[in-house]
Coordinates of all heavy atoms in Angstrom, one line a residue:
G281 N 0.8 -1.2 0.0 CA 0.0 0.0 0.0 C 0.9 1.2 0.0 O 2.1 1.2 0.2
L282 N 0.2 2.3 -0.2 CA 0.9 3.6 -0.2 C 0.7 4.3 1.1 O -0.3 4.1 1.8 CB 0.3 4.5 -1.3 CG 0.4 4.0 -2.7 CD1 -0.3 4.9 -3.7 CD2 1.9 4.0 -3.1
T283 N 1.6 5.1 1.5 CA 1.5 6.0 2.7 C 2.0 7.4 2.4 O 2.7 7.6 1.4 CB 2.4 5.4 3.8 OG1 3.7 5.4 3.4 CG2 2.0 4.0 4.2
R284 N 1.4 8.3 3.2 CA 1.9 9.7 3.1 C 1.9 10.2 4.5 O 1.1 9.7 5.3 CB 1.1 10.5 2.1 CG -0.4 10.6 2.4 CD -1.1 11.6 1.4 NE -0.5 12.9 1.4 CZ -0.1 13.6 0.3 NH1 -0.2 13.1 -0.9 NH2 0.4 14.8 0.5
C285 N 2.7 11.2 4.8 CA 2.8 11.7 6.1 C 1.8 12.9 6.5 O 1.7 13.2 7.6 CB 4.2 12.2 6.4 SG 5.4 10.9 6.3
D286 N 1.2 13.5 5.5 CA 0.3 14.6 5.7 C -0.9 14.4 4.8 O -1.0 13.5 4.0 CB 1.0 15.9 5.3 CG 1.6 15.9 3.9 OD1 1.6 14.9 3.2 OD2 2.1 17.0 3.5
A287 N -1.9 15.3 5.0 CA -3.1 15.1 4.2 C -2.8 15.5 2.7 O -2.0 16.3 2.4 CB -4.2 16.1 4.7
G288 N -3.6 14.8 1.8 CA -3.4 15.1 0.4 C -3.9 13.9 -0.4 O -4.3 12.9 0.1
P289 N -3.9 14.1 -1.7 CA -4.4 13.0 -2.6 C -3.3 11.9 -2.7 O -2.1 12.2 -2.5 CB -4.6 13.7 -3.9 CG -3.7 14.9 -3.9 CD -3.6 15.3 -2.4
V290 N -3.7 10.7 -3.1 CA -2.8 9.6 -3.4 C -3.2 9.1 -4.8 O -4.4 9.0 -5.1 CB -2.9 8.5 -2.4 CG1 -2.1 7.3 -2.7 CG2 -2.5 9.0 -1.0
T291 N -2.2 8.7 -5.6 CA -2.5 8.1 -6.9 C -2.3 6.6 -6.8 O -1.2 6.1 -6.5 CB -1.6 8.7 -8.0 OG1 -1.8 10.1 -8.1 CG2 -1.9 8.1 -9.4
L292 N -3.4 5.9 -7.1 CA -3.4 4.4 -7.0 C -3.3 3.8 -8.4 O -4.0 4.3 -9.3 CB -4.6 3.9 -6.3 CG -4.9 4.5 -4.9 CD1 -6.2 4.1 -4.4 CD2 -3.7 4.1 -3.9
T293 N -2.5 2.8 -8.6 CA -2.4 2.1 -9.9 C -2.6 0.6 -9.7 O -2.1 0.0 -8.8 CB -1.0 2.4 -10.5 OG1 -0.8 3.8 -10.6 CG2 -0.9 1.8 -11.9
A294 N -3.4 0.1 -10.6 CA -3.6 -1.4 -10.7 C -3.0 -2.0 -11.9 O -2.8 -1.3 -12.9 CB -5.1 -1.7 -10.7
T295 N -2.6 -3.3 -11.8 CA -2.0 -4.0 -13.0 C -2.7 -5.3 -13.1 O -3.4 -5.8 -12.2 CB -0.5 -4.2 -12.8 OG1 -0.3 -5.0 -11.6 CG2 0.2 -2.9 -12.6
G296 N -2.6 -5.9 -14.3 CA -3.1 -7.2 -14.5 C -4.3 -7.3 -15.5 O -4.7 -8.4 -15.8
A297 N -4.8 -6.2 -15.9 CA -6.0 -6.3 -16.8 C -5.6 -6.8 -18.2 O -4.5 -6.5 -18.6 CB -6.7 -4.9 -16.9
S298 N -6.5 -7.5 -18.8 CA -6.2 -8.0 -20.2 C -6.7 -6.9 -21.1 O -7.3 -5.9 -20.8 CB -7.0 -9.2 -20.4 OG -6.7 -10.2 -19.6
A299 N -6.3 -7.0 -22.4 CA -6.7 -6.1 -23.4 C -8.2 -6.0 -23.4 O -9.0 -7.0 -23.3 CB -6.3 -6.6 -24.8
G300 N -8.7 -4.7 -23.5 CA -10.2 -4.5 -23.5 C -10.8 -4.4 -22.1 O -11.9 -4.0 -21.9
E301 N -10.0 -4.7 -21.0 CA -10.5 -4.5 -19.7 C -10.0 -3.2 -19.1 O -9.0 -2.6 -19.5 CB -10.0 -5.6 -18.8 CG -10.5 -7.0 -19.1 CD -10.0 -8.1 -18.1 OE1 -8.8 -8.0 -17.7 OE2 -10.8 -9.0 -17.8
T302 N -10.8 -2.7 -18.1 CA -10.4 -1.5 -17.4 C -10.6 -1.8 -15.9 O -10.9 -2.9 -15.5 CB -11.3 -0.3 -17.9 OG1 -10.8 0.9 -17.3 CG2 -12.8 -0.5 -17.5
Y303 N -10.4 -0.8 -15.1 CA -10.5 -0.9 -13.7 C -11.6 -0.1 -13.1 O -11.9 1.0 -13.6 CB -9.2 -0.5 -13.0 CG -8.1 -1.5 -13.3 CD1 -7.2 -1.1 -14.3 CD2 -7.9 -2.7 -12.7 CE1 -6.2 -2.0 -14.7 CE2 -6.9 -3.5 -13.0 CZ -6.0 -3.2 -14.0 OH -5.0 -4.0 -14.3
R304 N -12.3 -0.6 -12.1 CA -13.3 0.1 -11.3 C -12.8 0.2 -9.9 O -12.5 -0.8 -9.3 CB -14.7 -0.6 -11.4 CG -15.4 -0.4 -12.7 CD -16.7 -1.1 -12.6 NE -17.6 -0.7 -13.7 CZ -18.8 -1.2 -14.0 NH1 -19.3 -2.1 -13.1 NH2 -19.5 -0.8 -15.0
W305 N -12.8 1.5 -9.4 CA -12.3 1.7 -8.0 C -13.5 2.0 -7.1 O -14.4 2.8 -7.5 CB -11.4 2.9 -8.0 CG -10.2 2.7 -8.9 CD1 -10.0 2.9 -10.2 CD2 -8.9 2.1 -8.4 NE1 -8.8 2.6 -10.6 CE2 -8.1 2.1 -9.6 CE3 -8.5 1.7 -7.2 CZ2 -6.8 1.6 -9.5 CZ3 -7.2 1.2 -7.1 CH2 -6.3 1.2 -8.3
Y306 N -13.6 1.4 -5.9 CA -14.7 1.5 -5.0 C -14.2 1.9 -3.6 O -13.1 1.6 -3.2 CB -15.4 0.2 -4.8 CG -16.0 -0.3 -6.1 CD1 -15.4 -1.1 -7.0 CD2 -17.4 0.0 -6.4 CE1 -16.0 -1.6 -8.2 CE2 -18.0 -0.5 -7.5 CZ -17.3 -1.3 -8.4 OH -17.9 -1.7 -9.6
A307 N -15.1 2.5 -2.8 CA -14.8 2.9 -1.5 C -14.8 1.7 -0.5 O -14.1 1.8 0.5 CB -15.9 3.9 -1.0
D308 N -15.5 0.7 -0.9 CA -15.5 -0.5 0.0 C -15.9 -1.7 -0.9 O -16.3 -1.6 -2.1 CB -16.4 -0.4 1.2 CG -17.8 -0.1 0.9 OD1 -18.5 -0.9 0.2 OD2 -18.3 0.9 1.4
A309 N -15.9 -2.9 -0.3 CA -16.1 -4.1 -1.1 C -17.6 -4.3 -1.5 O -17.9 -5.1 -2.4 CB -15.7 -5.3 -0.3
S310 N -18.5 -3.6 -0.9 CA -19.9 -3.8 -1.2 C -20.6 -2.6 -1.8 O -21.8 -2.6 -2.1 CB -20.7 -4.2 0.1 OG -20.6 -3.2 1.0
A311 N -19.8 -1.6 -2.1 CA -20.4 -0.4 -2.8 C -21.0 -0.7 -4.2 O -20.4 -1.5 -4.9 CB -19.3 0.7 -2.9
N312 N -22.1 -0.1 -4.5 CA -22.7 -0.3 -5.8 C -22.2 0.5 -6.9 O -22.2 0.1 -8.1 CB -24.2 -0.1 -5.7 CG -24.9 -1.2 -4.9 OD1 -24.5 -2.3 -4.9 ND2 -25.9 -0.8 -4.1
T313 N -21.7 1.7 -6.6 CA -21.2 2.7 -7.6 C -19.8 2.9 -7.5 O -19.3 3.2 -6.4 CB -22.0 4.0 -7.4 OG1 -23.4 3.8 -7.4 CG2 -21.6 5.0 -8.5
P314 N -19.0 2.7 -8.6 CA -17.6 3.0 -8.5 C -17.3 4.5 -8.2 O -18.0 5.4 -8.7 CB -17.1 2.6 -9.9 CG -18.2 2.0 -10.6 CD -19.4 2.3 -9.9
L315 N -16.2 4.7 -7.6 CA -15.7 6.1 -7.4 C -15.1 6.6 -8.7 O -15.1 7.8 -9.0 CB -14.6 6.2 -6.3 CG -15.1 5.8 -4.9 CD1 -13.9 5.6 -4.0 CD2 -16.0 6.8 -4.3
F316 N -14.5 5.7 -9.4 CA -13.8 6.0 -10.6 C -13.6 4.8 -11.5 O -13.5 3.7 -11.0 CB -12.4 6.6 -10.3 CG -11.5 7.0 -11.4 CD1 -11.8 8.1 -12.1 CD2 -10.4 6.2 -11.8 CE1 -11.0 8.5 -13.2 CE2 -9.6 6.5 -12.9 CZ -9.9 7.7 -13.6
T317 N -13.6 5.0 -12.8 CA -13.4 3.9 -13.8 C -12.2 4.3 -14.6 O -12.2 5.4 -15.2 CB -14.6 3.6 -14.7 OG1 -15.7 3.2 -13.8 CG2 -14.3 2.5 -15.7
G318 N -11.1 3.5 -14.6 CA -9.9 3.8 -15.3 C -8.7 3.5 -14.4 O -8.8 2.9 -13.4
N319 N -7.5 4.0 -14.9 CA -6.3 3.7 -14.3 C -5.2 4.7 -14.7 O -5.1 4.8 -15.9 CB -5.8 2.2 -14.6 CG -4.8 1.7 -13.6 OD1 -4.8 1.9 -12.4 ND2 -3.9 1.0 -14.2
P320 N -4.6 5.4 -13.8 CA -4.6 5.3 -12.4 C -5.8 6.1 -11.8 O -6.4 6.9 -12.5 CB -3.3 5.9 -12.0 CG -3.0 7.0 -13.0 CD -3.5 6.3 -14.3
Y321 N -6.0 5.9 -10.5 CA -7.0 6.6 -9.8 C -6.4 7.6 -8.8 O -5.6 7.1 -7.9 CB -7.9 5.7 -9.0 CG -8.9 6.3 -8.0 CD1 -9.6 7.4 -8.3 CD2 -9.0 5.8 -6.8 CE1 -10.5 8.0 -7.4 CE2 -9.9 6.3 -5.8 CZ -10.6 7.4 -6.2 OH -11.5 8.0 -5.3
T322 N -6.6 8.9 -8.9 CA -6.1 9.8 -7.9 C -7.3 10.2 -7.0 O -8.3 10.7 -7.4 CB -5.6 11.1 -8.6 OG1 -4.5 10.7 -9.5 CG2 -5.1 12.1 -7.6
T323 N -7.1 9.9 -5.7 CA -8.1 10.1 -4.7 C -8.3 11.6 -4.4 O -7.4 12.4 -4.8 CB -7.7 9.4 -3.4 OG1 -6.6 10.1 -2.8 CG2 -7.4 8.0 -3.6
A324 N -9.4 11.9 -3.7 CA -9.5 13.2 -3.2 C -8.5 13.3 -2.0 O -7.8 12.3 -1.7 CB -10.9 13.4 -2.6
S325 N -8.4 14.4 -1.4 CA -7.5 14.6 -0.3 C -7.8 13.7 0.9 O -9.0 13.6 1.3 CB -7.5 16.1 0.2 OG -6.5 16.2 1.2
L326 N -6.8 12.9 1.4 CA -7.0 12.0 2.5 C -6.3 12.5 3.7 O -5.1 12.9 3.6 CB -6.5 10.6 2.1 CG -7.1 10.0 0.8 CD1 -6.4 8.7 0.5 CD2 -8.6 9.7 1.0
S327 N -6.9 12.3 4.9 CA -6.2 12.7 6.1 C -6.3 11.6 7.1 O -5.7 11.7 8.2 CB -6.8 14.0 6.7 OG -8.2 13.8 7.0
V328 N -6.9 10.4 6.8 CA -6.9 9.3 7.7 C -6.7 8.0 6.8 O -6.8 8.1 5.6 CB -8.3 9.1 8.4 CG1 -8.6 10.3 9.3 CG2 -9.4 9.0 7.3
N329 N -6.3 6.9 7.5 CA -6.1 5.7 6.8 C -7.4 5.3 6.0 O -8.5 5.3 6.6 CB -5.7 4.5 7.7 CG -4.3 4.7 8.3 OD1 -3.5 5.4 7.7 ND2 -4.1 4.0 9.4
T330 N -7.2 5.0 4.7 CA -8.4 4.7 3.9 C -8.0 3.5 3.0 O -6.9 3.4 2.4 CB -8.7 5.9 3.0 OG1 -8.9 7.0 3.8 CG2 -10.0 5.6 2.2
T331 N -8.9 2.5 2.9 CA -8.8 1.4 2.0 C -9.7 1.5 0.8 O -10.9 1.8 1.0 CB -9.0 0.1 2.8 OG1 -8.1 -0.1 3.8 CG2 -8.9 -1.1 1.8
F332 N -9.2 1.4 -0.4 CA -10.0 1.3 -1.6 C -10.0 -0.1 -2.1 O -9.1 -0.8 -1.9 CB -9.5 2.3 -2.6 CG -9.6 3.8 -2.1 CD1 -8.5 4.4 -1.5 CD2 -10.7 4.5 -2.4 CE1 -8.6 5.7 -1.0 CE2 -10.8 5.8 -2.0 CZ -9.8 6.4 -1.3
H333 N -11.0 -0.4 -2.9 CA -11.1 -1.7 -3.5 C -11.2 -1.5 -5.1 O -11.8 -0.5 -5.5 CB -12.4 -2.4 -3.1 CG -12.3 -2.9 -1.7 ND1 -12.4 -2.0 -0.6 CD2 -12.1 -4.1 -1.1 CE1 -12.3 -2.7 0.5 NE2 -12.1 -3.9 0.2
V334 N -10.5 -2.4 -5.8 CA -10.5 -2.3 -7.2 C -10.9 -3.6 -7.9 O -10.6 -4.7 -7.3 CB -9.1 -1.9 -7.7 CG1 -8.0 -2.9 -7.4 CG2 -9.0 -1.5 -9.2
S335 N -11.5 -3.5 -9.0 CA -11.9 -4.7 -9.8 C -11.5 -4.5 -11.2 O -11.4 -3.3 -11.7 CB -13.4 -5.0 -9.7 OG -14.1 -4.0 -10.4
K336 N -11.4 -5.6 -12.0 CA -11.2 -5.5 -13.4 C -12.6 -5.6 -14.0 O -13.4 -6.4 -13.6 CB -10.3 -6.6 -13.9 CG -8.9 -6.6 -13.5 CD -8.0 -7.6 -14.1 CE -8.3 -9.0 -13.5 NZ -7.5 -10.0 -14.1
Y337 N -12.8 -4.8 -15.0 CA -14.1 -4.8 -15.7 C -14.0 -4.8 -17.2 O -13.2 -4.1 -17.8 CB -14.9 -3.5 -15.3 CG -16.2 -3.3 -15.9 CD1 -17.3 -4.2 -15.6 CD2 -16.4 -2.4 -16.9 CE1 -18.5 -4.0 -16.3 CE2 -17.6 -2.2 -17.5 CZ -18.7 -3.1 -17.2 OH -19.9 -2.9 -17.8
N338 N -14.8 -5.7 -17.8 CA -14.8 -5.8 -19.3 C -16.1 -5.1 -19.8 O -17.2 -5.7 -19.6 CB -14.7 -7.2 -19.7 CG -14.6 -7.3 -21.2 OD1 -15.3 -6.7 -22.0 ND2 -13.7 -8.2 -21.7
P339 N -16.0 -3.9 -20.4 CA -17.2 -3.3 -20.9 C -17.9 -3.9 -22.0 O -19.1 -3.6 -22.3 CB -16.7 -1.8 -21.2 CG -15.3 -2.0 -21.5 CD -14.8 -3.2 -20.6
T340 N -17.2 -4.9 -22.7 CA -17.9 -5.6 -23.8 C -18.7 -6.7 -23.3 O -19.9 -6.9 -23.8 CB -16.8 -6.1 -24.8 OG1 -16.0 -5.0 -25.2 CG2 -17.4 -6.8 -26.0
T341 N -18.2 -7.4 -22.3 CA -19.0 -8.6 -21.8 C -19.7 -8.3 -20.5 O -20.5 -9.1 -20.0 CB -18.0 -9.8 -21.5 OG1 -17.1 -9.4 -20.5 CG2 -17.3 -10.2 -22.8
F342 N -19.5 -7.1 -19.9 CA -20.1 -6.7 -18.7 C -19.6 -7.5 -17.5 O -20.3 -7.5 -16.4 CB -21.6 -6.6 -18.7 CG -22.1 -5.7 -19.9 CD1 -22.7 -6.3 -21.0 CD2 -21.9 -4.3 -19.8 CE1 -23.1 -5.5 -22.0 CE2 -22.4 -3.5 -20.9 CZ -23.0 -4.1 -22.0
C343 N -18.5 -8.3 -17.6 CA -18.0 -9.1 -16.6 C -17.1 -8.3 -15.7 O -16.3 -7.5 -16.1 CB -17.2 -10.3 -17.1 SG -18.2 -11.5 -17.9
E344 N -17.3 -8.5 -14.4 CA -16.5 -7.8 -13.4 C -15.8 -8.8 -12.4 O -16.5 -9.7 -11.9 CB -17.3 -6.8 -12.6 CG -16.5 -5.9 -11.7 CD -17.3 -4.7 -11.1 OE1 -18.5 -4.7 -11.3 OE2 -16.7 -3.9 -10.5
S345 N -14.6 -8.6 -12.1 CA -13.9 -9.5 -11.2 C -14.3 -9.2 -9.8 O -14.9 -8.2 -9.5 CB -12.4 -9.3 -11.4 OG -11.9 -8.1 -10.8
A346 N -13.8 -10.1 -8.9 CA -14.0 -9.8 -7.5 C -13.1 -8.6 -7.1 O -12.2 -8.3 -7.8 CB -13.5 -11.0 -6.6
R347 N -13.5 -7.9 -6.1 CA -12.8 -6.6 -5.7 C -11.7 -7.0 -4.8 O -11.8 -7.9 -3.9 CB -13.8 -5.7 -5.0 CG -14.8 -5.2 -6.0 CD -15.8 -4.4 -5.3 NE -17.0 -4.2 -6.1 CZ -18.1 -3.6 -5.8 NH1 -18.2 -3.1 -4.6 NH2 -19.1 -3.5 -6.6
T348 N -10.6 -6.3 -5.0 CA -9.4 -6.5 -4.2 C -9.0 -5.2 -3.4 O -9.0 -4.1 -4.0 CB -8.2 -6.8 -5.1 OG1 -8.5 -8.0 -5.9 CG2 -6.9 -7.1 -4.4
P349 N -8.8 -5.3 -2.1 CA -8.4 -4.1 -1.4 C -7.0 -3.7 -1.7 O -6.2 -4.4 -2.2 CB -8.5 -4.5 0.1 CG -8.6 -6.0 0.1 CD -8.9 -6.5 -1.3

């Protein structure tokens, strides 16, 4: 994971998607709506420990992987 010593945004990057897949970033494992679709994801300013979850998504087949923290 990433750390920072003061408040501010963090840029998160995921790897492993196949051609045609993208990433969906979520605030938690059960959220219905992604915070962002794409890669990398730059968060809003953070001042406390925060865990985000990411999945691989195929917009052609509408298949989405399990979310990973």
Side-chain angles (χ1 to χ4, degrees):
L282 298 173
T283 60
R284 60 177 300 129
C285 295
D286 55 355
V290 175
T291 300
L292 305 174
T293 303
T295 60
S298 300
E301 291 180 324
T302 189
Y303 294 97
R304 286 182 166 177
W305 299 88
Y306 295 90
D308 59 59
S310 60
N312 291 323
T313 305
L315 298 169
F316 179 74
T317 299
N319 198 38
Y321 169 46
T322 300
T323 69
S325 183
L326 303 173
S327 59
V328 296
N329 287 343
T330 307
T331 299
F332 294 91
H333 290 74
V334 63
S335 67
K336 293 186 289 183
Y337 176 70
N338 186 317
T340 302
T341 64
F342 306 107
C343 289
E344 186 169 8
S345 72
R347 296 175 192 176
T348 302

